[in-house]
Amino acid sequence: MDFTKSEYYINRELSWVRFNDRVLSEAENAEILLFERLKFLSISASNLDEFFMVRVASLKDMVHAGYTKKDIAGLRPKEQLDMLVEVLHPFVEKQYRIYEELRRSCAGVGLEIIEHHEDLDEEDGVYVDRYFQDSVYPVLTPMAVDASRPFPLIHNKSLNICALLSRRGGEHIGKQSSKGKKEDKEERTEEERDLEFATVQVPGVLPRFVLLPQRASDESKKIRIIRLEEVIERNIRKLFLNFKVVDAAPFRVMRNADLTIEEEEAEDLLQEIEKQIRKRQWGEAIRLEVEEGIDKRLLKILKKELRISQEDIYKISGPLDLTFLMKVYGLDGFGKYKIKSKEPQAVPEIQRDIDIFTSIRQGDILLHHPYQTFEPVVRFVEEAAKDPNVLAIKQTLYRVSGNSPIVRALAEAAQNGKQVSVLVELKARFDEENNIGWARMLEKAGCHVIYGLVGLKTHCKICLVVRREEDGIRRYVHLGTGNYNDATAKLYTDMGLLTCGERVGEDATAVFNMLSGYSEPVGWNRLSLAPLWLKKRLIKLIHRERDNALKGRTSGIKAKMNSICDRDVIAALYEAAASGVKVDLMVRGICCLRVGIPGVSDNIHVYSIVGDYLEHSRIFIFDNDHDPEVFMSSADWMPRNLERRVEIMFPIEDQALKKEAIHIIDLQLKDNVKKRVMQPDGTYLIPPIPEGEERICCQEIFGVEAAKKASNAQRKKTKDARVFIPMENPG
């Protein structure tokens, strides 16, 4: 049977839009606290920006290049773009319907978001005008467009205000050249020839909204804000004193931000990436957002100068760039409309008064973030940097925080004379600039910095500490599903393993020898690496479950990941399911697999959880005839992860930790609050909770369980520390 038919697959881009719709549905959910809904709306907008800059841009590149190869679902690039036009315009309209609903709800709880500067009364108008004059005007640079001043570069994602000016209102500043372009004059009507175009960028260095002063008469102490672009638009005539402003409107451009790096041709990869980052600002315009009701003449100019097609213009009935809502979320005074931040719990196996290496020698330690603190991972590197018995530290860095304690510890280790090797992945999308800075700092501190492998991204998360001990050299290893980022570790669910297992340590050494030199191991003890071995291992494990089912043995696959769109892996799952293997997949984002295909995927169920934390961990469980094998990984089941990245899949071998990993998956599968169930048409539904059934929200329960473990460990420690002192005989 052919399991690779295109009708068995869902288009990747459409699946992503459905994922973002699940994010947006959290903003729509009236059962969620109001400010959390604002946050989800902001996230959906940020997600959409990146989707345009990378995925839509990539499809446009393919169309320009004449690329006509069909995707996994049988669609050519042009067909995919046409499909996206059909779904993305309604998606944006839905975002703004929800925004208006949330804005009205905010007004009811003491936050008034003033939409238009015309709605300001005289007192507020005076305050706003003074703010403009004192704080905004000095920063602005109005840009006129005429024969001597070409249309300016409109930066990617920047918010701008365009204006239509009439010369009849005053003397033109700097006379227009008489050598105007003939074709331009012929294209413009007589009325348009009397008008000028100008634009001004809304400065990103200033807050996106202005807090208006509270009124003494307002007993409710309502907080009122107005967006910066409205303040500028109200005062825009002050930027063009000798002209009459006929009309003004905000606009925003999204550009192609997908870097094209010729690594083999680049003499210096770092310099090449720096050059490509700058190009992001003037890549092809792929999306234009304008205010609904913009003057047709303004839109005509923007469309022509930006060379953008009609279907890529989004007319917005509300504020452009809804990511500003994340700043609104941060306003003080609305705590009861936000989820109370939960402190990550201590890891019971790691004690403050015992060095971390002693704790790891007592047994493998499984970390579950953010329910458990990321501090042990930071401590692992910090203690290694100071420990005189540590000889070397080797680590990969993909995305780190802006003030990373791990990077500081690595620099300190090098300064302490240890051998420190760090692979900094310069091609981590949208973190390139940040990573270049870290790489240079680490080099100055004396670290050996590697910039990754040509043609591959190094996405694996591994840290190796080589330590001299009484019985010889011992290797300690941390392996993770997420980044070495102490900030996102509080927001993303991820898993980590701390071990000093000899076989894993040998593999870790081989990984770094491969990354830093030309050493390519013949085989591996415990780890499976992409791009050469991991995919083969996955398919082999899936086939083993298929074979067990065919032989009448118990079988089953449970897997959790961010995305699945690799045709070979999906075909193997179809084959296994058709042979009787039950497959449960917890896929947060993109899923190109279809459920419910008779004789193909009847036994496959796909779920997705969108909750307070971003589900980011990758856990794979194979029944293996009642002897389950459990793996965790940095890799999703996507071609880019399995074929074009350095990734690691690692086993969980300790029986107690295996049970814990299986419990994590099983509890997520039982979730009836945030778990959405994929339908045969590729959409997702949250089934209603049957009357009388217990409410199960896995993210809430994981938090409770982590707190209980930490509390029990503390009680046990306190009990063990007590010393029994018998009372003196009172007689």
Side-chain angles (χ1 to χ4, degrees), residues 22-52:
R22 296 195 291 279
V23 175
L24 186 58
S25 69
E26 292 292 281
E28 199 174 18
N29 187 349
E31 295 181 5
I32 293 175
L33 292 171
L34 177 58
F35 272 58
E36 299 300 320
R37 295 171 66 189
L38 289 175
K39 181 176 72 175
F40 278 110
L41 180 53
S42 174
I43 292 170
S44 79
S46 178
N47 288 346
L48 191 62
D49 284 352
E50 185 170 334
F51 181 71
F52 270 99

Side-chain angles (χ1 to χ4, degrees), residues 142-145 151-152 154 158-165 196-202 229 232-233 236 239-240 245-253 288-291 293-303 306 320:
M143 308 285 286
V145 176
F151 194 87
I154 306 298
S158 65
L159 185 59
N160 305 269
I161 298 174
C162 57
L164 203 59
L165 311 174
E196 298 288 356
F197 175 88
T199 182
V200 61
Q201 183 175 323
V202 178
E229 63 268 28
I232 297 172
E233 193 173 334
I236 199 163
L239 301 176
F240 308 103
V245 179
V246 177
D247 191 43
F251 71 99
R252 184 168 177 256
V253 177
L288 171 63
E289 295 170 277
V290 296
E291 187 178 61
I294 186 174
D295 189 291
K296 291 180 180 178
R297 294 164 294 181
L298 277 175
L299 184 55
K300 179 180 176 182
I301 295 168
L302 289 173
K303 183 178 177 183
L306 295 170
L320 275 56

